[in-house]
Amino acid sequence: MSVTVSAKMEGGKVSRVKVHSLLSVVSGSPVAPGKVHILSPLDRAMGHHTIHIVFYYESNPFKDGPFPLDIDNLRVSLSKLLDEYPIVTGRLTRGAEGGWQVRCNDAGVRILQATVNTSMDEWLRSADASEERDLTLWEDMPQDPSYWSPFRIQINNFECGALAIGLSCTHMHADMTSATMLIKSWTEVHSGQPLTHSPIFNLPPPPSSHGNFVPSFTALHSPITPANMGTVTMKFSGSVIENCLLQVQSQCPDATPFDVLVAIFWSRIARWQEPSFNNHKCSLSICVDSRSAGHPEVPFGYFGNALHFSVLYVDADKLLSCGLGQVSQYVHSHVAKARADEFWSVMRWLDEHSNEGEGPFTIYGPRLTCINMEHMAVAENGTALMYAASFKKGERPIHVSYHVGKVEGQGLIMVMPSAEGGLARTVTVMLPEEEITNICKDQTILDLEPKMIVSGKR
């Protein structure tokens, strides 16, 4: 199908991204008739949100000779990949008990081709988050999703010959890790390599004993006041993070980059936001991935949602007055105490309440939420998972951007590895617009010399 779309940005400005074609790619081997995948209780709880990822490459891995894009080359490797991911090509439907499931009918994945009317260097300097979303154009799920593709891949060609691959999907199908693994697996198929982590779609039975941990995101039912949200992405060098870790060593000797960056941003944001008080305590929702050594029952190749949310409470006066080391210790201790049985207890609670009209939930709000992506920092040969997504040997992404759709309330902070490697980290912050302005002017953060990426800030 040939289409031409000039996306309109906020304020009526015409985007530099123009989508000019749309097609579907199906798997190379037909799926067995009648195959159905039942979404987990946690998958269904995430139905309010979407995942959007953009991989930026300095050269086009699909280029063949003088042609800007060898579409057949792209389709062949993607079709082979989809043989391993039948739920990606399927369609959502309601099961006998009313819950969402995937009918694995091999209806295919939507592929959009687009041109970007600038160079990649200029784009990374001048584009903001709202324009970047044009690299992952999305259509919300219709009332009848039987013909609607829950996965969309957008191939964006820049004037300089660079390429950005955008992936969008429902959060019901995948979290950040499994969506990243989908693209990384595509690069492995494209280069003729075996999959590092073959996808696993069903978790093993939970341990026989687990606690009674009620999901933190079910505790707040008060209406959320709508607000225009802004986004800023900052890159912090490895040397800056190393200095921060040395600064907090006496109070938090085992601090991670996540601990100190969350401590910095939370303590600064708390000065502007009206905090969520509970007996004079401020609260922070912390999201960790259960694909870790502490959760051996959740394999790294699990394709679905393996996120665990818990809430850290700190006395408001302490948060605003104590130093970076103490706040880092609060964060570090909370993450370290997250137990494997809490994840399984949440799954059980959601399953038991699935017929009571519970969910989907606004997971990323109303509390300020922080996503810990430290588990993706070292995937192979010292390279972070997202930066190991190489279609050609030696040509890794120069930047990977993550966005969660429909963030509300007090906002979201994502701490993830940077292309630089080592201790360098990228922080994407989504807050009400006036607070984004405060973040960009905050002297404590500016003293760390962050580099703004896709933030509309120079």
Side-chain angles (χ1 to χ4, degrees):
M1 179 187 297
S2 178
V3 297
T4 300
V5 177
S6 296
K8 288 283 188 179
M9 297 174 59
E10 296 175 5
K13 182 180 177 181
V14 177
S15 172
R16 290 173 287 182
V17 181
K18 292 181 173 59
V19 176
H20 54 78
S21 67
L22 172 66
L23 55 90
S24 293
V25 174
V26 300
S27 58
S29 301
V31 179
K35 183 178 179 62
V36 172
H37 172 73
I38 307 298
L39 294 175
S40 77
L42 181 57
D43 291 338
R44 297 194 296 270
M46 306 297 290
H48 183 67
H49 300 286
T50 53
I51 298 292
H52 309 267
I53 310 176
V54 182
F55 293 77
Y56 289 91
Y57 295 89
E58 286 186 309
S59 63
N60 187 338
F62 306 111
K63 186 176 181 180
D64 185 17
F67 300 101
L69 181 67
D70 181 358
I71 193 65
D72 290 334
N73 191 15
L74 178 155
R75 294 174 70 172
V76 168
S77 61
L78 182 57
S79 181
K80 290 180 180 178
L81 171 74
L82 296 177
D83 286 345
E84 307 292 331
Y85 288 86
I87 72 170
V88 171
T89 62
R91 296 294 182 262
L92 284 167
T93 185
R94 293 285 189 180
E97 298 181 357
W100 286 114
Q101 60 185 23
V102 180
R103 187 173 71 253
C104 302
N105 58 358
D106 197 27
V109 172
R110 296 287 186 264
I111 303 293
L112 295 84
Q113 293 188 72
T115 55
V116 186
N117 187 28
T118 187
S119 69
M120 180 172 288
D121 285 344
E122 174 60 24
W123 174 270
L124 293 174
R125 286 195 301 267
S126 63
D128 60 19
S130 64
E131 190 173 16
E132 186 179 47
R133 285 193 286 273
D134 291 337
L135 300 180
T136 59
L137 287 178
W138 179 250
E139 293 179 354
D140 288 333
M141 182 172 67
Q143 188 172 358
D144 177 11
S146 56
Y147 296 99
W148 175 77
S149 175
F151 285 81
R152 295 164 69 93
I153 297 174
Q154 186 167 323
I155 309 298
N156 303 280
N157 290 278
F158 288 82
E159 286 183 340
C160 60
L163 188 83
I165 298 177
L167 170 68
S168 298
C169 64
T170 69
H171 212 321
M172 281 197 295
H173 283 73
D175 57 19
M176 280 71 70
T177 301
S178 49
T180 302
M181 283 300 303
L182 178 65
I183 297 297
K184 183 177 182 297
S185 295
W186 184 14
T187 68
E188 291 169 343
V189 170
H190 188 80
S191 57
Q193 301 297 317
L195 298 187
T196 303
H197 296 283
S198 296
I200 300 169
F201 300 105
N202 294 292
L203 291 173
S208 57
S209 62
H210 41 71
N212 296 307
F213 190 90
V214 178
S216 60
F217 48 77
T218 68
L220 297 174
H221 294 286
S222 57
I224 299 173
T225 303
N228 292 325
M229 306 295 284
T231 304
V232 62
T233 296
M234 301 180 178
K235 285 182 174 286
F236 296 90
S237 69
S239 60
V240 164
I241 300 301
E242 184 177 18
N243 287 336
C244 290
L245 293 173
L246 290 172
Q247 181 182 339
V248 305
Q249 189 171 35
S250 61
Q251 291 178 289
C252 189
D254 298 320
T256 67
F258 174 80
D259 299 330
V260 294
L261 285 167
V262 169
I264 291 168
F265 279 88
W266 188 24
S267 60
R268 304 311 298 171
I269 292 170
R271 286 164 166 76
W272 319 314
Q273 285 192 340
E274 179 180 350
S276 298
F277 285 101
N278 181 358
N279 297 325
H280 303 289
K281 292 181 181 291
C282 292
S283 63
L284 178 72
S285 177
I286 295 181
C287 168
V288 297
D289 197 296
S290 296
R291 303 172 183 87
S292 67
H295 301 76
E297 303 89 357
V298 185
F300 203 84
Y302 174 61
F303 191 85
N305 283 280
L307 302 179
H308 177 57
F309 296 82
S310 57
V311 181
L312 167 62
Y313 294 97
V314 174
D315 289 338
D317 291 341
K318 288 184 177 180
L319 179 63
L320 297 176
S321 62
C322 67
L324 176 61
Q326 185 59 61
V327 182
S328 298
Q329 182 59 44
Y330 289 144
V331 176
H332 180 81
S333 296
H334 182 84
V335 172
K337 291 177 182 176
R339 304 188 311 273
D341 63 347
E342 292 178 355
F343 174 76
W344 296 109
S345 182
V346 166
M347 294 285 271
R348 183 182 66 179
W349 188 96
L350 290 169
D351 189 38
E352 292 174 349
H353 292 76
S354 61
N355 295 323
E356 299 177 10
E358 295 282 3
F361 301 94
T362 301
I363 308 291
Y364 304 96
R367 287 189 181 97
L368 182 65
T369 302
C370 294
I371 300 178
N372 185 342
M373 299 175 73
E374 289 295 304
H375 67 290
M376 300 173 72
V378 180
E380 54 185 54
N381 300 323
T383 302
L385 176 64
M386 63 281 281
Y387 295 103
S390 175
F391 286 92
K392 289 184 178 180
K393 186 176 181 179
E395 296 184 7
R396 293 173 175 162
I398 63 169
H399 176 59
V400 181
S401 175
Y402 289 81
H403 176 74
V404 177
K406 298 186 179 178
V407 173
E408 300 177 7
Q410 293 190 346
L412 176 66
I413 300 171
M414 288 185 281
V415 180
M416 64 204 82
S418 291
E420 178 185 333
L423 295 174
R425 292 293 182 269
T426 298
V427 179
T428 295
V429 184
M430 191 173 187
L431 299 169
E433 285 182 345
E434 64 275 12
E435 293 171 16
I436 284 292
T437 300
N438 291 336
I439 277 284
C440 294
K441 295 179 179 179
D442 186 271
Q443 193 58 50
T444 298
I445 294 175
L446 292 177
D447 287 344
L448 301 178
E449 300 180 345
K451 180 181 180 182
M452 305 289 188
I453 298 289
V454 195
S455 302
K457 308 290 183 183
R458 293 180 181 270

